[in-house]
Amino acid sequence: MQPRILVVGSLNMDLRLSLERMPAPGETCFGRSYAYIPGGKGANQAVAAARLGGQVAFCGRRGEDSNGEILEEGLRREGIDTACLKRDAASQTGLAVIPVEKNGQNRIVVLSGANMQVNREDVEAALRQPYDAVITQLEIPLETVFALHEMTQERGIPLCIDAGPAMPLELERLAGAFLISPNETETAAITGIQVTDDASALEAAGRIRARSHAAYVVLKLGARGTLVYSREGGRFYDAYPVRPVDTTAAGDAFTAALILRYLACGHMGEAAAYANAVGALTVMKEGAQPSLPAAAEAEAFYAARREA
Ligand code: RIB
């Protein structure tokens, strides 16, 4: 049986700029190339979950414009149910501008547009269907995320909150969530703790768990791997070393893989090891959705790296 996943979140057209290096303030420099690529944290998570074997529905908002058409059609081609992707005549479809330097390091500016219209009623409508898990992030209004939390709690559905992009978060309003997963920058925005080593990662994860009482706090630590923190304490899972081409969407792919694997095996540590493999594969290709691996590729990479 395929796990049934609902993603409530953003979709953006990504304008990806390929650069030698970022210009200094006030400087003009030449880039190498640019491309329009489907992205948005929510849509990336939905596509990742579908490619990794989930039966996925997407709840969000798009404008009545060509970017919205292209993005919705892309989700449909992945087999994602878009019945709860609403059109918003008054807003543009979300856009993200992503300059990427030659070492794969990116910076992202998001123009949210219709994503900021996703509301409680949209979530209520989407939750009329049954799901094994729900994934969300912070590129939609926080009030909608809090409402989603309440509604999934009432229905007993595990909610996975990818805490990106970085912002302060009232963790007390997510009390008892199943999973909260920030990266290092997001962890600093939530806790004020700069994660520089194992001790600071453990301290930050412990603080997030103490305030939220989430069943799991999973810190995404980039090249250092992952920290899974639960009531049993914390355990680190190493990243798989690869040469990054573009880190865009690696965190989104990680979150989708984490929950899918957890639903399959019931063990968050095993799920984190698999999700690290999916994240590693994602950074080896350019762009957001084109870089998300399919299940067969992920399984093969994971098996090979585990053996090694
Ligand atoms: O996480 C990567 C995503 O963040 C990009 O696809 C961009 O759209 C922004 O939402």
Side-chain angles (χ1 to χ4, degrees):
M1 268 268 284
Q2 284 182 291
R4 297 159 306 178
I5 307 289
L6 172 68
V7 178
V8 179
S10 59
L11 83 172
N12 297 325
M13 183 58 83
D14 291 351
L15 171 55
R16 181 185 189 277
L17 315 175
S18 175
L19 308 176
E20 192 73 23
R21 62 168 180 83
M22 222 54 80
E27 184 193 12
T28 300
C29 72
F30 291 105
R32 287 171 167 172
S33 62
Y34 70 89
Y36 290 95
I37 298 176
K41 292 186 193 306
N44 296 344
Q45 288 162 359
V47 170
R51 289 190 188 160
L52 294 172
Q55 182 186 318
V56 182
F58 183 78
C59 169
R61 296 252 188 164
R62 50 158 278 205
E64 299 256 24
D65 47 26
S66 56
N67 280 344
E69 285 296 328
I70 293 166
L71 296 174
E72 180 169 354
E73 181 49 34
L75 293 181
R76 283 217 209 94
R77 271 204 307 275
E78 299 286 342
I80 296 167
D81 178 353
T82 57
C84 292
L85 171 55
K86 282 201 194 159
R87 292 171 190 209
D88 197 294
S91 316
Q92 293 172 297
T93 298
L95 181 85
V97 182
I98 311 182
V100 184
E101 290 177 295
K102 68 173 178 196
N103 62 2
Q105 184 61 58
N106 68 18
R107 288 170 171 77
I108 304 184
V109 178
V110 174
L111 300 121
S112 298
N115 294 314
M116 281 300 156
Q117 304 304 320
V118 181
N119 62 29
R120 183 182 193 102
E121 288 70 38
D122 298 346
V123 173
E124 255 164 10
L127 285 174
R128 288 196 192 113
Q129 302 295 321
Y131 297 102
D132 298 307
V134 177
I135 305 175
T136 195
Q137 353 63 41
L138 311 181
E139 284 188 333
I140 56 173
L142 282 180
E143 283 307 318
T144 307
V145 172
F146 296 137
L148 174 63
H149 172 59
E150 279 167 26
M151 286 185 245
T152 49
Q153 291 275 96
E154 283 161 16
R155 291 162 178 76
I157 308 171
L159 176 64
C160 309
I161 302 150
D162 185 316
M167 64 183 76
L169 190 55
E170 283 177 85
L171 291 170
E172 296 73 14
R173 294 187 67 187
L174 297 170
F178 178 69
L179 169 76
I180 299 179
S181 181
N183 66 18
E184 289 151 303
T185 318
E186 292 148 11
T187 299
I190 295 170
T191 63
I193 297 171
Q194 301 295 335
V195 176
T196 50
D197 53 16
D198 288 0
S200 51
L202 284 164
E203 189 191 347
R207 205 175 286 182
I208 293 171
R209 188 159 186 279
R211 282 177 55 201
S212 66
H213 302 286
Y216 294 99
V217 175
V218 176
L219 299 195
K220 297 180 278 251
L221 304 172
R224 291 217 307 270
T226 301
L227 168 61
V228 174
Y229 198 98
S230 68
R231 68 173 181 199
E232 279 131 38
R235 182 160 170 199
F236 290 90
Y237 294 85
D238 287 341
Y240 301 97
V242 291
R243 184 172 296 174
V245 172
D246 181 350
T247 58
T248 309
D252 307 328
F254 176 94
T255 302
L258 185 73
I259 188 59
L260 276 185
R261 196 64 163 209
Y262 178 83
L263 289 172
C265 73
H267 189 273
M268 195 54 87
E270 153 67 18
Y274 172 72
N276 279 343
V278 170
L281 278 171
T282 306
V283 304
M284 289 160 71
K285 291 189 190 151
E286 287 185 0
Q289 289 170 28
S291 70
L292 302 169
E297 188 187 358
E299 292 298 343
F301 179 88
Y302 181 49
R305 290 299 172 109
R306 284 201 110 181
E307 261 172 42

